[in-house]
Amino acid sequence: MELKNPLYKNIGIHVITALFTVEKGTTKVLLVRRTNDPFKGMWALPSGAMYNNELIKDGALRELKEKTGIELDDLTPFRTFDALDRSPLYRMIGVGYIGIIDSQTVEILKTTNKTSNADWFTLDNIPKLAYDHNEILNYAIEKLKERIITTDILKSFFPNGFTLPELQTVYESILNIKIDRRNFRKKMLNVIVDTKKEVNYVGKKKAKLYKFDKKKKDISIF
Amino acid sequence: MELKNPLYKNIGIHVITALFTVEKGTTKVLLVRRTNDPFKGMWALPSGAMYNNELIKDGALRELKEKTGIELDDLTPFRTFDALDRSPLYRMIGVGYIGIIDSQTVEILKTTNKTSNADWFTLDNIPKLAYDHNEILNYAIEKLKERIITTDILKSFFPNGFTLPELQTVYESILNIKIDRRNFRKKMLNVIVDTKKEVNYVGKKKAKLYKFDKKKKDISIF
DNA sequence: CCAAAAGTGTTATGTTTACACCCATGT
DNA sequence: ACATGGGTGTAAACATAACACTTTTGG
């Protein structure tokens, strides 16, 4: 079907992913370097145009894989960006997604046919990005902070479970606060379950391994 | 600019508005009756296709005005709907908006060149709607409940301020709960300010007129 | 045996809930 | 004068925040 009114035409959807990790207490985000115009040579969030035969989230997952080699099975949308001039050549509506994984567990592709580099950047060291990606990233950071205290989004960071000390480190890194250990445990124990396993995380003493309680997707920490 | 890859073409944006009101303790939503295919003759949320030269929200405001005659200056987005088959003829991404006004203060157009009727429907009496609008409405209702306790969205319902009893009625209607009058006042007084005026709302005794505190957009009731 | 990290309880403070009577006014 | 709705305070329950010592174990 063709739309008659030209005002309905020439619209596309950008899918943009802010993929975070935490390394040794530092929050980082994955950026890729563009090899094509527009914004050739600039760093950007992994992103691209959605196909008309895929769900938006699937487009985001596909683009993330194409631009970084990282294959996830879920991302969560956080906001739509629709400024008229956000893309220079064509009216593109941007849909932003956030995800969080442990960077140690993935291998990132440094080059693809549209990117010449890829790396994890600390949040106080973000270069000027392509498109409106600096703005998108800022919203993504705020939304990540909100989601870790209201949802179990961190389970993608800990596919094999976590000890309470390492979970606390991730919370403290992302929220940029210090949390009392005993109070943290008290709150968390409402939404996580003991796996009955123990592991060595940092110390010499073994720590109990927990996972998020599947029945409690909506949580409320702090 | 033309996009080369056909997978990038043939995408449009639907803007869909769930406009709520509360009448005598009953929450209602505005529906319009379609005169054109697809879904000819069916009731629907006021909606239409966004133009490629307008912001999504402006498209929603424009469509609301075209389909109902109601002219607002703001709406808040709540979710994107992207099922591949949500529109039968063309890939359309739906962007949902919610708003709330006092139906007494507006005159709705019963017919337009695309609608044959328009009316406020109580939420327990919603017919089968066009497209995926029943699903969209259900999400909108949940989001409205969330927004009235976390934002000052109700200020559009009370452009001239409100008394605490009438504000409480709106909260109780939308949330479908009873609230203790004294506790309600205590909470609300954190986010509203006295206008130093008094009006008669229902009773014979005058009641103080309040408005939302502009400095407190993010609130937390309950 | 000691350094380094894991684990644990109690008190104080703040927040939320439950609850009942007086006041003002139009009829 | 009375019916109708507006306005107000306090105590109990609950949730959050502050705080320090003991346990385990690898080196």
Side-chain angles (χ1 to χ4, degrees):
Chain A
M1 179 215 185
E2 270 301 304
L3 294 178
K4 287 144 280 179
N5 188 335
L7 282 171
Y8 293 140
K9 293 186 177 180
N10 305 319
I11 299 174
I13 309 284
H14 267 155
V15 287
I16 303 122
T17 299
L19 186 64
F20 295 96
T21 194
V22 176
E23 293 176 359
K24 301 201 208 77
T26 303
T27 311
K28 298 186 177 183
V29 67
L30 184 59
L31 299 178
V32 299
R33 190 153 195 181
R34 295 173 61 85
T35 48
N36 294 335
D37 269 322
F39 304 105
K40 184 171 172 172
M42 290 181 78
W43 290 93
L45 293 168
S47 56
M50 185 192 77
Y51 295 156
N52 58 27
N53 64 357
E54 68 188 349
L55 295 176
I56 309 178
K57 181 192 290 181
D58 291 335
L61 291 166
R62 176 183 53 72
E63 283 291 343
L64 181 66
K65 184 184 171 197
E66 287 180 11
K67 299 288 195 331
T68 71
I70 295 176
E71 213 161 341
L72 303 183
D73 42 42
D74 202 26
L75 288 168
T76 65
F78 70 95
R79 179 160 169 149
T80 297
F81 298 86
D82 68 341
L84 293 174
D85 60 354
R86 62 172 296 282
S87 177
L89 301 174
Y90 201 83
R91 179 72 193 280
M92 297 295 284
I93 305 294
V95 181
Y97 283 80
I98 55 179
I100 180 162
I101 59 167
D102 183 347
S103 57
Q104 314 268 61
T105 64
V106 292
E107 191 71 36
I108 59 178
L109 282 181
K110 287 289 182 177
T111 62
T112 71
N113 63 346
K114 285 183 177 170
T115 60
S116 62
N117 203 351
D119 218 334
W120 298 98
F121 282 67
T122 60
L123 299 184
D124 56 6
N125 189 34
I126 302 294
K128 180 156 174 25
L129 302 178
Y131 296 99
D132 52 354
H133 289 195
N134 289 96
E135 182 194 2
I136 292 175
L137 176 55
N138 288 336
Y139 280 107
I141 293 166
E142 290 314 306
K143 213 62 178 183
L144 176 66
K145 289 180 182 176
E146 188 185 312
R147 295 276 164 89
I148 63 171
I149 65 177
T150 56
T151 74
D152 58 359
I153 190 173
L154 280 176
K155 69 174 189 287
S156 59
F157 189 94
F158 295 113
N160 305 313
F162 47 81
T163 67
L164 275 165
E166 70 183 321
L167 183 66
Q168 183 170 349
T169 299
V170 172
Y171 273 95
E172 291 181 333
S173 305
I174 294 173
L175 299 175
N176 220 353
I177 57 172
K178 277 279 161 202
I179 309 170
D180 177 88
R181 194 146 35 111
R182 283 162 291 186
N183 294 339
F184 180 76
R185 299 171 90 85
K186 247 180 287 177
K187 280 217 174 133
M188 280 299 166
L189 285 171
N190 294 320
V191 295
I192 63 180
V193 293
D194 193 337
T195 64
K196 308 288 178 195
K197 288 180 220 155
E198 294 196 319
V199 293
N200 272 56
Y201 164 50
V202 182
K204 335 225 153 156
K205 187 172 171 181
K206 283 192 168 56
K208 284 193 201 167
L209 196 70
Y210 295 88
K211 58 182 183 183
F212 284 99
D213 187 338
K214 285 192 187 107
K215 297 186 290 290
K216 300 189 181 156
K217 292 205 167 193
D218 292 339
I219 68 183
S220 173
I221 322 293
F222 313 112
Chain B
M1 179 214 184
E2 272 301 303
L3 294 178
K4 286 144 279 180
N5 188 336
L7 282 171
Y8 293 139
K9 292 186 178 182
N10 305 318
I11 298 174
I13 309 284
H14 266 155
V15 286
I16 304 120
T17 299
L19 186 65
F20 295 96
T21 194
V22 176
E23 292 176 359
K24 301 200 206 78
T26 303
T27 311
K28 299 187 178 184
V29 68
L30 184 59
L31 299 179
V32 299
R33 191 155 193 179
R34 295 173 61 85
T35 48
N36 292 336
D37 270 322
F39 304 105
K40 185 171 173 171
M42 289 181 79
W43 290 92
L45 294 168
S47 56
M50 184 192 77
Y51 295 157
N52 57 28
N53 63 357
E54 69 188 349
L55 295 176
I56 309 177
K57 182 192 290 181
D58 292 336
L61 291 166
R62 175 183 54 72
E63 283 291 343
L64 181 67
K65 184 185 171 198
E66 288 179 11
K67 299 289 194 334
T68 71
I70 295 175
E71 213 160 340
L72 303 183
D73 42 42
D74 203 27
L75 287 168
T76 64
F78 70 94
R79 182 163 165 146
T80 297
F81 297 86
D82 69 340
L84 294 174
D85 60 354
R86 62 171 296 284
S87 177
L89 300 176
Y90 200 84
R91 178 72 194 278
M92 297 295 284
I93 304 295
V95 181
Y97 283 80
I98 54 180
I100 179 160
I101 59 167
D102 183 347
S103 57
Q104 314 268 60
T105 65
V106 292
E107 190 71 35
I108 58 178
L109 281 181
K110 287 290 182 176
T111 62
T112 71
N113 65 345
K114 285 184 179 169
T115 61
S116 62
N117 202 351
D119 217 335
W120 298 98
F121 282 68
T122 59
L123 299 183
D124 55 6
N125 188 33
I126 302 295
K128 180 153 173 29
L129 302 177
Y131 296 98
D132 52 354
H133 289 196
N134 289 96
E135 181 193 2
I136 293 176
L137 176 56
N138 287 336
Y139 279 107
I141 293 166
E142 290 314 304
K143 213 63 179 183
L144 176 66
K145 290 180 183 176
E146 187 184 313
R147 294 276 164 90
I148 63 171
I149 64 176
T150 56
T151 76
D152 59 359
I153 189 172
L154 280 176
K155 69 172 189 287
S156 58
F157 190 93
F158 296 113
N160 305 313
F162 47 81
T163 66
L164 275 166
E166 70 182 321
L167 183 66
Q168 184 172 346
T169 300
V170 172
Y171 272 96
E172 291 181 334
S173 306
I174 294 173
L175 298 176
N176 221 354
I177 56 173
K178 276 281 162 201
I179 309 172
D180 177 87
R181 195 148 32 112
R182 283 164 293 189
N183 294 337
F184 180 74
R185 299 172 91 85
K186 245 179 293 175
K187 279 216 175 137
M188 289 315 297
L189 285 171
N190 295 320
V191 296
I192 64 181
V193 292
D194 194 336
T195 64
K196 308 288 178 197
K197 287 180 222 154
E198 294 197 317
V199 294
N200 272 56
Y201 164 49
V202 182
K204 335 225 153 155
K205 186 172 173 182
K206 285 194 167 55
K208 285 192 200 166
L209 196 69
Y210 295 88
K211 59 182 182 181
F212 284 97
D213 186 339
K214 285 194 188 104
K215 297 186 291 289
K216 299 189 180 155
K217 296 206 164 191
D218 292 339
I219 67 184
S220 176
I221 322 292
F222 312 113

